[in-house]
Amino acid sequence: MSRIWIISILSVLMLASTSVYQRGFAQSLAGARLAADGSSDGPFTVSVTGKLALCSHSERGSIILDIEGGVAPYTFKWNTNETTQNRSNLYAGTYTVEITDSQGTLHIERIVVQPPYPLILEDLEKQNASCGSGNDGYAKIGVKIGRGEPYKVIWSHGLEDQWEAYDLAPGVYTVTVVDKYNCDVSLSFEIEAPNEGIEVTESITEVTCTSGNSGEVQLNVTGGQPPYQYSWNHGPSTSKITGLSAGTYVVTIMDQTGCAYQASYSLQSPSEIQVESEIVEPSCGGKSDGLIELKLTGGTQPYTVNWSNGNTGAKISNLNPGTYTASISDAKGCSYEQSFNLAAATELTVNVTDKVDLTCFNSNDGTAIINTNQPKDQLNILWSDGIKNVWSRNDLEAGNYTVQVSNNEGCSVETQFTIDAPDELSARIESTLEVDCAVGSVEGVAWVSISGGVEPYTINWNPSNASNREINFSQSSNLKVRVTDAMGCIVEAEARVDYPTNTKEGRLNFNYRKLEISSEPEVLTNEEIIFESEISDEFIAWEWSFGDGSKSVDKDPIHVFNKAGVYEVSLTGYDIYGCSSIETNVIQVNSPLEVVVIPNAFTPNGDGLNDTFMPKLRGIQEFYLEVFNTWGESMFITSSPEDKGWDGTYKGQLSPPGNYLYKITYRTPAGESVHRTGGVTLIR
């Protein structure tokens, strides 16, 4: 028996958000191709997406590479000898790819596929509701085993990121906990109540426009145990209250058992109709292209709008200069009237000067100045964000703006412009553990991934005060980094890094035996062989290879060798640190040999020697044996390999000594049917 160790480097840590991906880094090698003038080709960038964290051992990861820059086409060489751009069906581990463009520029990318880790919740703590209509239930959960914060907690009634839920009504709830790798586990439970709760339906009559005290509330109560007692916050003790003005009315209902139900009802006064208008004055030159469009709020829809020129609806167009009055009424009969004056306009021009874009992504320090060909004190200006009569702005956000300028003559003109912003400056701390399985050493590496803003960047780590993009760590801690771009924009990131205390070698061994008990010690083809493993707890995954092209991930698999030969069976174990080890056994598998030996005599005297007549068979698929006396009478029949044979009796009586005949038919391993007859002597 030999033991072979295979060393691999897997990552045990990936810090990322819901969409997890790993760091990438580019290296311009000293041997990279140089241009004719001696300058090297510029590097290209690679973004990594895909499924880079596993939630269970049955899952497989994937890697998708997106390349920008360089000169296509590109070639790819992975540390697993694959040459495709993207990868799928991946186990947890570290995958390194060398990417070379057509000019010889080399980029090296290291991607970590995170192995699964159990997420187990603590036992649920809960408190049932005091009664069926009581909202005083309580539940609490916690994580017993997991990778650590942050966790996302989602309760089925809408509560999020809270470990305890209060004020729960009776019913069935589900709570789901999601770890930082987007792996989740759910738990369902029921808040019970000792009896059925009070249920209330209401009929509400709102206050009308014509009467301020016309509101009513009528309650219909079921459930609980009647009779019911009613207590309103303004005094009444009946299920129906009338003569109500606008306001909030609170009622407490109690049944015979003391179970209480509280509800509040708000009555609104009919809101006043609010009118906002968009007016387009007739163009300069007396054209009939004026427009009035009303935006109506308040009141009660639908609205009815009648204009003094006979038109209806919230929008009228093709208007001449003049006064137009809108009479507006809502569904409750409330009414409102407003007049609008359209004046003839003169020609206007407008332009934008001194436009300055944002310094940082969210700095809101854009500026713009509006100029026109007419005196500004005789004009009105309206910005698309609602600002009026301001010609210079210095607090603009990024976006598209429209500016409308109109004069007292009803002529208006618009201009549009865009305030741009640089890409958002963002930073994210990522880390990995580089494990040397041969010597048991671990080195933590953390780096900051930066996007957006304006290069160059200034980096400051806390607590180390390092200024490089990548740092090393040798203990678990919280890392913080502050990034400042060339424009002075600042972003900060923080992450927790974990560092293992040790990497231990786990025990790995296995034995094998025939599943069906047999006196034959050798392994034959088409026999079921069970492989029994001894795998210590340090290993979280394993794989069998039987040497004939078959594999298995069962802990104690059963395998059948279909052909004779020598097979090297190996068991590979993977621990949580990404290290692996192999235990190998060599198995000789033989083809069964055909052996048929038929005795010519037997002595059934009970001495334990040659007491029965039974052929010795080996490598025979099936057989049929029958024994006759000299008159052709059948004395014994069997087709079972477990049968002990003929003991020299017939129907419970001893058969006389002498000669007997036998006939046997059997099928060889090659499928050939053989018939043999002969004689056997019974000796007493």
Side-chain angles (χ1 to χ4, degrees):
M1 181 183 301
S2 62
R3 175 167 296 185
I4 302 172
W5 301 95
I6 295 178
I7 300 174
S8 64
I9 300 177
L10 302 177
S11 170
V12 296
L13 181 63
M14 177 198 313
L15 298 176
S17 61
T18 301
S19 178
V20 183
Y21 63 95
Q22 309 299 319
R23 81 169 165 151
F25 61 90
Q27 298 176 346
S28 297
L29 302 182
R33 187 185 69 83
L34 297 180
D37 60 359
S39 62
S40 62
D41 293 327
F44 49 87
T45 61
V46 178
S47 63
V48 181
T49 57
K51 183 173 181 56
L52 303 176
L54 308 183
C55 295
S56 68
H57 296 301
S58 62
E59 285 190 328
R60 294 294 180 266
S62 62
I63 298 173
I64 299 174
L65 303 179
D66 186 15
I67 304 174
E68 294 184 1
V71 181
Y74 309 94
T75 60
F76 305 85
K77 183 178 180 181
W78 296 82
N79 59 338
T80 55
N81 293 327
E82 297 287 339
T83 58
T84 60
Q85 178 172 345
N86 300 322
R87 301 290 306 279
S88 61
N89 196 30
L90 299 177
Y91 291 96
T94 298
Y95 297 85
T96 303
V97 60
E98 296 181 358
I99 308 171
T100 307
D101 72 356
S102 61
Q103 300 299 310
T105 303
L106 176 64
H107 178 99
I108 300 175
E109 192 78 18
R110 180 187 300 161
I111 308 106
V112 180
V113 177
Q114 174 67 27
Y117 193 85
L119 177 57
I120 302 175
L121 301 182
E122 299 280 0
D123 292 339
L124 175 75
E125 297 181 25
K126 75 167 187 174
Q127 176 180 309
N128 291 326
S130 60
C131 62
S133 56
N135 296 335
D136 54 358
Y138 164 82
K140 177 181 179 182
I141 63 166
V143 174
K144 185 176 183 180
I145 297 176
R147 291 186 171 103
E149 297 288 348
Y151 294 105
K152 184 173 182 61
V153 185
I154 304 171
W155 298 80
S156 57
H157 64 295
L159 182 66
E160 292 189 3
D161 297 332
Q162 298 293 326
W163 297 104
E164 298 179 78
Y166 296 90
D167 302 328
L168 298 180
V172 176
Y173 298 83
T174 299
V175 59
T176 300
V177 178
V178 184
D179 70 10
K180 56 189 173 184
Y181 303 109
N182 210 30
C183 299
D184 63 82
V185 63
S186 297
L187 174 67
S188 293
F189 62 93
E190 181 178 5
I191 297 296
E192 300 175 341
N195 52 58
E196 181 183 2
I198 297 173
E199 295 184 2
V200 178
T201 58
E202 68 280 347
S203 175
I204 298 177
T205 301
E206 297 285 358
V207 179
T208 65
C209 290
T210 57
S211 174
N213 298 312
S214 57
E216 296 182 358
V217 178
Q218 171 71 57
L219 304 181
N220 181 27
V221 182
T222 59
Q225 295 187 21
Y228 310 107
Q229 295 181 1
Y230 303 88
S231 176
W232 293 88
N233 62 330
H234 66 299
S237 58
T238 58
S239 61
K240 180 178 181 179
I241 53 175
T242 61
L244 304 178
S245 58
T248 299
Y249 299 87
V250 180
V251 64
T252 300
I253 306 170
M254 184 172 295
D255 70 0
Q256 189 176 8
T257 66
C259 184
Y261 177 93
Q262 188 176 73
S264 64
Y265 307 95
S266 294
L267 275 65
Q268 305 293 332
S269 294
S271 60
E272 294 182 359
I273 300 174
Q274 303 293 325
V275 179
E276 293 184 7
S277 60
E278 178 183 347
I279 298 175
V280 177
E281 303 281 4
S283 302
C284 300
K287 295 181 180 179
S288 300
D289 56 359
L291 177 144
I292 303 174
E293 183 173 3
L294 306 182
K295 181 180 179 182
L296 306 177
T297 57
T300 304
Q301 297 189 36
Y303 307 106
T304 299
V305 182
N306 293 308
W307 292 88
S308 56
N309 66 345
N311 290 343
T312 60
K315 179 178 179 180
I316 56 175
S317 57
N318 300 322
L319 303 179
N320 294 314
T323 300
Y324 299 85
T325 301
S327 298
I328 307 165
S329 60
D330 68 2
K332 290 189 175 181
C334 300
S335 60
Y336 179 84
E337 188 173 277
Q338 184 172 343
S339 295
F340 305 89
N341 183 56
L342 300 185
T346 57
E347 194 69 29
L348 273 176
T349 62
V350 64
N351 57 74
V352 180
T353 62
D354 299 324
K355 181 180 76 71
V356 178
D357 295 325
L358 304 189
T359 303
C360 300
F361 180 77
N362 288 321
S363 57
N364 300 338
D365 56 356
T367 63
I369 298 176
I370 305 301
N371 281 326
T372 182
N373 64 337
Q374 296 186 10
K376 293 181 180 179
D377 58 354
Q378 299 178 13
L379 301 175
N380 296 314
I381 181 171
L382 175 65
W383 296 73
S384 54
D385 58 353
I387 302 299
K388 297 180 180 180
N389 299 327
V390 176
W391 296 89
S392 176
R393 298 283 299 276
N394 57 9
D395 57 351
L396 296 178
E397 300 176 352
N400 297 320
Y401 291 85
T402 299
V403 177
Q404 183 187 74
V405 177
S406 59
N407 59 19
N408 295 331
E409 297 177 353
C411 186
S412 65
V413 65
E414 288 184 352
T415 187
Q416 295 180 343
F417 65 94
T418 300
I419 296 293
D420 295 317
D423 292 338
E424 182 177 8
L425 178 64
S426 64
R428 182 182 64 259
I429 297 175
E430 301 182 48
S431 64
T432 188
L433 293 177
E434 297 183 350
V435 181
D436 189 336
C437 300
V439 300
S441 66
V442 180
E443 181 179 17
V445 180
W447 64 94
V448 58
S449 296
I450 307 171
S451 63
V454 180
E455 295 191 57
Y457 306 113
T458 301
I459 300 171
N460 180 259
W461 291 87
N462 184 9
S464 67
N465 290 325
S467 58
N468 299 324
R469 283 207 177 190
E470 182 177 297
I471 63 172
N472 296 328
F473 62 89
S474 58
Q475 63 181 11
S476 298
S477 64
N478 287 326
L479 297 180
K480 297 181 180 179
V481 67
R482 181 185 179 98
V483 178
T484 306
D485 74 355
M487 302 300 293
C489 305
I490 298 174
V491 67
E492 295 182 346
E494 181 177 358
R496 173 75 181 178
V497 294
D498 294 328
Y499 188 86
T501 56
N502 55 62
T503 57
K504 297 183 178 179
E505 176 185 333
R507 184 181 70 258
L508 188 69
N509 197 3
F510 70 91
N511 297 306
Y512 64 92
R513 60 178 175 83
K514 296 183 179 183
L515 187 63
E516 182 177 345
I517 299 176
S518 170
S519 60
E520 298 294 336
E522 62 182 329
V523 176
L524 302 178
T525 58
N526 299 317
E527 284 188 314
E528 291 185 322
I529 307 301
I530 183 169
F531 293 85
E532 299 173 319
S533 62
E534 298 178 9
I535 303 174
S536 61
D537 294 338
E538 285 81 2
F539 295 101
I540 62 173
W542 48 83
E543 182 180 53
W544 293 85
S545 177
F546 298 104
D548 60 355
S550 299
K551 297 181 182 296
S552 176
V553 294
D554 295 336
K555 193 172 185 295
D556 299 308
I558 296 173
H559 185 66
V560 175
F561 295 96
N562 296 318
K563 295 182 180 180
V566 177
Y567 296 92
E568 185 177 88
V569 179
S570 62
L571 170 61
T572 304
Y574 302 92
D575 65 19
I576 195 171
Y577 300 106
C579 299
S580 63
S581 63
I582 294 181
E583 179 67 19
T584 302
N585 279 328
V586 176
I587 299 178
Q588 174 72 47
V589 179
N590 298 323
S591 298
L593 298 177
E594 175 189 347
V595 176
V596 179
V597 179
I598 304 176
N600 59 9
F602 71 107
T603 57
N605 56 11
D607 63 355
L609 299 174
N610 202 26
D611 284 335
T612 62
F613 170 69
M614 186 67 180
K616 305 299 182 183
L617 306 175
R618 178 179 176 183
I620 301 303
Q621 300 295 325
E622 57 184 51
F623 77 98
Y624 179 84
L625 173 67
E626 189 170 3
V627 180
F628 306 89
N629 59 20
T630 55
W631 291 278
E633 184 179 6
S634 178
M635 308 295 289
F636 174 76
I637 296 174
T638 185
S639 61
S640 173
E642 286 79 23
D643 201 316
K644 295 181 180 180
W646 184 41
D647 61 359
T649 64
Y650 178 65
K651 295 183 179 180
Q653 301 296 322
L654 296 177
S655 299
N659 294 324
Y660 293 83
L661 300 176
Y662 68 81
K663 180 175 69 174
I664 184 170
T665 301
Y666 59 87
R667 187 176 301 278
T668 68
E672 179 184 1
S673 180
V674 179
H675 304 277
R676 293 177 59 180
T677 60
V680 60
T681 302
L682 190 157
I683 303 173
R684 292 195 183 278

